[in-house]
Amino acid sequence: MKRLLTTLLLTYSFLGFAQNLISNVPNRNITSLNGVWNYIIDPYQTGFYSFHLDQYDKQEKPAKGAFFTNYHAQNKQELVEYDFDKSPTITIPSDWNSQVTELKYYEGNVWFKKSFDYNLAANKRLFLYLGAINYKADVYLNGKKLGTHEGGFTPFNYEVTTIVQPKDNYLVIKVDNTRHKEDVPTVNTDWWNYGGITRDVTLIEEESSFVEDYNIQLKKGNANIISGFIKINNLEASKNQISISIPELKINYKGKADNSGILNFEIPAKKISYWSPENPKLYDVTVNFNGQKLNDKIGFRTIETQGDKILLNGKPVFLRGISIHEENAKGGRANSEEDALRLLNWAKELGCNYVRLAHYPHNENMVREADKMGLMVWEEIPVYWTVEFTNKNTYQNAQDQLTAAITRDKNRASIVIWSMANETPVSDARNAFITNLVNHTKSLDNTRLISAALLTHNGKIDDQIGKSLDIIAFNQYLGWYGGNLENAEKTFWTTPYNKPVFVSEFGGDAKAGFHGEKNERWTEEYQEYLYIQNLKMIEKIPHLSGLSPWILVDFRSPKRLLPGIQDGYNRKGLISNNGEKKKAFYIMQKWYAKKKSEY
Ligand code: GCU
């Protein structure tokens, strides 16, 4: 029976159905496939379709022209028109735009190939985990299709137990970053469409029955109960011993999974040192399943609203934040711990206790470093501007990205807000789309707050979707996209909601080192004055509980074209892409220092 179940499971996964996401990957028995890969630029998808557009991976026996076969000519006569091993190389993880000059603006298909050996013991299982690939990936191992994944900022994995071989495995991935109206995000974004295998590629070795996922957090509304679930993949009735130990809390809970492989638990806990920005306490937690130990570091805290206040561990807190895009010092996709520390240390220097990770789930290093450093996090899915709200596939894509983000990050105390969207135009379809995402979020995690960055109308923060949200967040650009900075102090905002209000974006561009009068756009003085005036106005917003100016660092955008000033960069950063702090940085830093003293 057991063999049959395992075979069925493996068959199911082998058919390329995306596997349930495995969580806490960094602490598992992993082998990295990061490093030097070969790549082939394939704008006409020559390696994917025949000349009559037959899709090679749908053929019974794929033609040797199919790049995922990694075929090599067997003799001097044979016609083969590609060769990964003779093709250029690139370091993975990375985006191709910042790594390969001629690919800076490229939107299309690139194939990647990595060869590796792997000795898998007979009773073990092996999974291929991909941290993120932007935007669409077709994944093959040893010529067999594992699956297709869409969504550029969330992880996915496939079981490869029956495909991997001891020597000369070839992992081939076709990446397509072409934008489409029905995608998430849609075709129009104010950020660079970095294509590629932009996050870690990892092999995970497991026993035939193992802990696939778990949630270990404080029970909603109860700061003295640790609750959640342990999810076993391929539970074998004869071996079903689970324990959860948290030595510092003198917890060693024992239990068994039910027939569906789930153990739901509630564990009383006393004398918890609650996680907060001032005390980012993380506990060593070990989940032990039949002797297999899975370790994690988990913080415990409560987050809730009370009227227009946000309560962290029962106390009112003001979220002193900054918005951040996921870019590294070289002007490409950030993905490493070093990249995360560079960005989050700047946020700390600014005086932040909170960061808005825009406009998509960032890499796992960002949220694990935020856990350690004591920064609360707003995590967002890229339902950005005008996605197709009436398209069912678009909704499913958005929901799948949200599920993956929550599955990966639900044990991170730093994450306090899940954001459903950014600046989406109001319509019945959009309201239904976001309300469904809100309900889906609550079904997966009822402990965190839910928001979205909204637009306003004539000084009113009155978006009807606000009734489904815990926090009313809005973006406003007084002094940049309209309005007169001179009138800032006489500009008032109203809202019908008695809920915490956030200014999720405000700001203006400045080219670092460009100086002039405060009324000269693009100068540091203009940006500085814009911050001074906006902050005078923001201080008077009713129910204000947080803000995250736009943005920490200048970032690449194909929409920002002013020569000599923007040159393909959005310059609203308080810091330039070369790491130069602008005058407005110090205005914000001073305001946060004062705000901190008030709490
Ligand atoms: C918008 C949007 C950002 C954008 C910013 C800007 O509000 O949310 O993604 O970069 O404003 O115009 O600079």
Side-chain angles (χ1 to χ4, degrees):
M1 182 55 186
K2 184 188 80 173
R3 268 262 168 249
L4 173 63
L5 190 64
T6 307
T7 310
L8 277 177
L9 208 83
L10 300 183
T11 310
Y12 176 84
S13 64
F14 169 62
L15 290 174
F17 296 97
Q19 285 267 310
N20 290 340
L21 194 61
I22 296 171
S23 63
N24 189 15
V25 171
N27 292 302
R28 292 178 183 266
N29 178 10
I30 57 177
T31 301
S32 175
L33 293 183
N34 292 352
V36 175
W37 291 48
N38 295 92
Y39 71 91
I40 298 173
I41 304 167
D42 186 10
Y44 283 45
Q45 300 193 73
T46 305
F48 193 63
Y49 296 108
S50 72
F51 72 121
H52 280 174
L53 290 184
D54 295 322
Q55 187 170 321
Y56 284 134
D57 64 16
K58 292 191 185 312
Q59 293 175 339
E60 192 60 35
K61 187 174 176 343
K64 60 192 175 190
F67 288 6
F68 55 84
T69 64
N70 190 30
Y71 190 78
H72 291 80
Q74 303 302 303
N75 57 57
K76 289 197 175 106
Q77 284 71 42
E78 196 166 17
L79 170 64
V80 179
E81 298 181 88
Y82 73 99
D83 185 326
F84 274 114
D85 298 327
K86 292 181 182 153
S87 297
T89 59
I90 189 170
T91 301
I92 295 299
S94 66
D95 63 275
W96 62 62
N97 315 77
S98 64
Q99 300 300 305
V100 183
T101 310
E102 60 264 47
L103 295 181
K104 176 176 178 182
Y105 289 95
Y106 181 67
E107 294 189 315
N109 286 267
V110 179
W111 293 82
F112 297 87
K113 191 271 291 184
K114 179 73 177 178
S115 297
F116 66 93
D117 300 338
Y118 198 95
N119 276 310
L120 183 66
N123 60 338
K124 297 292 178 68
R125 295 169 69 187
L126 194 68
F127 295 82
L128 171 69
Y129 180 88
L130 299 137
I133 294 182
N134 189 50
Y135 172 83
K136 180 177 179 182
D138 288 282
V139 186
Y140 308 83
L141 180 63
N142 300 338
K144 294 182 180 60
K145 181 144 198 184
L146 302 183
T148 299
H149 179 271
E150 283 195 38
F153 303 99
T154 43
F156 57 106
N157 48 235
Y158 300 104
E159 181 157 13
V160 295
T161 307
T162 59
I163 305 171
V164 73
Q165 54 204 26
K167 305 289 280 177
D168 305 328
N169 294 283
Y170 51 98
L171 172 61
V172 175
I173 301 176
K174 178 173 85 80
V175 179
D176 183 357
N177 76 331
T178 308
R179 289 164 292 121
H180 306 96
K181 284 194 299 79
E182 65 275 17
D183 290 350
V184 180
T186 184
V187 291
N188 193 21
T189 64
D190 190 19
W191 71 78
W192 208 270
N193 178 29
Y194 289 112
I197 304 172
T198 51
R199 294 180 190 161
D200 295 341
V201 181
T202 308
L203 293 169
I204 310 170
E205 184 174 310
E206 293 292 353
E207 301 293 333
S208 65
S209 171
F210 67 95
V211 175
E212 174 185 286
D213 187 18
Y214 56 86
N215 188 33
I216 301 175
Q217 288 281 282
L218 286 180
K219 181 176 180 180
K220 183 178 177 65
N222 192 318
N224 296 305
I225 292 187
I226 292 174
S227 72
F229 65 81
I230 309 288
K231 184 178 178 189
I232 304 300
N233 180 302
N234 186 32
L235 178 71
E236 295 162 10
S238 59
K239 293 191 286 185
N240 184 0
Q241 304 296 330
I242 299 175
S243 73
I244 302 165
S245 69
I246 311 176
E248 276 191 270
L249 293 177
K250 297 185 175 45
I251 287 173
N252 192 14
Y253 176 88
K254 295 188 187 319
K256 290 181 182 307
D258 62 20
N259 292 338
S260 66
I262 304 284
L263 164 61
N264 290 304
F265 60 83
E266 291 196 357
I267 308 171
K270 292 191 180 58
K271 298 200 180 77
I272 294 174
S273 174
Y274 294 105
W275 184 95
S276 72
E278 297 75 26
N279 174 48
K281 170 68 182 171
L282 299 178
Y283 283 92
D284 287 324
V285 178
T286 300
V287 178
N288 186 320
F289 173 60
N290 300 331
Q292 303 167 46
K293 292 185 177 179
L294 184 54
N295 300 318
D296 204 348
K297 291 187 179 302
I298 298 178
F300 300 105
R301 53 103 190 95
T302 63
I303 189 79
E304 58 199 318
T305 62
Q306 195 175 68
D308 64 354
K309 294 283 177 280
I310 292 189
L311 304 183
L312 176 67
N313 302 320
K315 291 199 216 79
V317 65
F318 186 91
L319 277 69
R320 310 187 307 271
I322 187 73
S323 296
I324 300 177
H325 257 306
E326 190 185 47
E327 272 195 2
N328 60 27
K330 298 185 289 296
R333 268 283 165 252
N335 49 55
S336 66
E337 186 178 333
E338 180 195 359
D339 293 337
L341 288 170
R342 170 177 166 271
L343 294 168
L344 298 179
N345 280 327
W346 273 333
K348 277 280 189 182
E349 192 180 341
L350 186 61
C352 297
N353 61 0
Y354 155 66
V355 287
R356 177 185 177 215
L357 302 187
H359 287 289
Y360 37 75
H362 288 210
N363 66 84
E364 193 167 359
N365 288 305
M366 281 293 272
V367 292
R368 284 188 178 271
E369 289 306 326
D371 256 17
K372 293 180 206 164
M373 295 169 70
L375 284 165
M376 290 179 278
V377 169
W378 159 306
E379 183 160 321
E380 185 165 293
I381 54 170
V383 175
Y384 182 89
W385 290 351
T386 55
V387 299
E388 288 197 335
F389 295 108
T390 56
N391 183 321
K392 291 198 176 344
N393 294 333
T394 302
Y395 175 78
Q396 190 56 54
N397 183 342
Q399 182 175 291
D400 291 346
Q401 293 188 39
L402 185 57
T403 302
I406 294 173
T407 303
R408 188 192 73 182
D409 294 340
K410 61 189 174 299
N411 291 306
R412 307 279 72 82
S414 53
I415 297 176
V416 293
I417 298 166
W418 299 116
S419 169
M420 307 292 108
N422 180 75
E423 292 194 351
T424 51
V426 177
S427 71
D428 291 346
R430 168 268 206 172
N431 292 344
F433 192 101
I434 293 182
T435 305
N436 288 337
L437 288 175
V438 169
N439 295 335
H440 181 69
T441 302
K442 288 178 177 172
S443 72
L444 297 176
D445 171 16
N446 68 357
T447 67
R448 290 178 173 86
L449 304 178
I450 297 175
S451 190
L454 307 171
L455 291 169
T456 57
H457 313 86
N458 313 320
K460 292 189 178 63
I461 316 162
D462 59 356
D463 192 314
Q464 48 201 285
I465 198 66
K467 58 182 178 303
S468 307
L469 304 175
D470 297 311
I471 295 171
I472 307 297
F474 71 101
N475 299 346
Q476 65 82 30
Y477 278 91
L478 178 81
W480 190 260
Y481 291 125
N484 182 335
L485 288 173
E486 301 309 320
N487 302 335
E489 290 176 88
K490 298 193 286 291
T491 305
F492 296 95
W493 297 85
T494 61
T495 180
Y497 298 109
N498 179 31
K499 295 183 175 180
V501 168
F502 272 34
V503 178
S504 34
E505 288 182 32
F506 76 92
D509 289 60
K511 165 94 171 159
F514 177 38
H515 295 286
E517 294 307 312
K518 68 181 181 182
N519 63 353
E520 184 177 1
R521 196 180 281 263
W522 309 109
T523 62
E524 286 197 40
E525 285 71 19
Y526 187 101
Q527 188 190 45
E528 179 187 43
Y529 182 59
L530 181 144
Y531 267 71
I532 290 167
Q533 292 301 96
N534 268 270
L535 289 168
K536 285 178 192 167
M537 173 189 74
I538 285 169
E539 270 167 348
K540 296 195 287 258
I541 292 176
H543 314 310
L544 186 73
S545 288
L547 73 154
S548 47
W550 192 261
I551 187 170
L552 181 65
V553 188
D554 292 354
F555 61 95
R556 285 192 194 278
S557 168
K559 296 171 69 74
R560 307 300 178 174
L561 305 171
L562 185 61
I565 295 284
Q566 294 176 314
D567 298 319
Y569 273 87
N570 182 310
R571 297 283 181 205
K572 293 188 182 68
L574 291 174
I575 303 172
S576 78
N577 51 298
N578 297 318
E580 305 147 295
K581 293 188 182 71
K582 305 172 192 175
K583 295 176 86 169
F585 178 95
Y586 302 99
I587 301 298
M588 200 66 241
Q589 188 183 51
K590 198 164 140 233
W591 196 88
Y592 277 161
K594 177 171 170 293
K595 202 69 186 167
K596 183 178 179 181
S597 66
E598 292 164 9
Y599 272 76

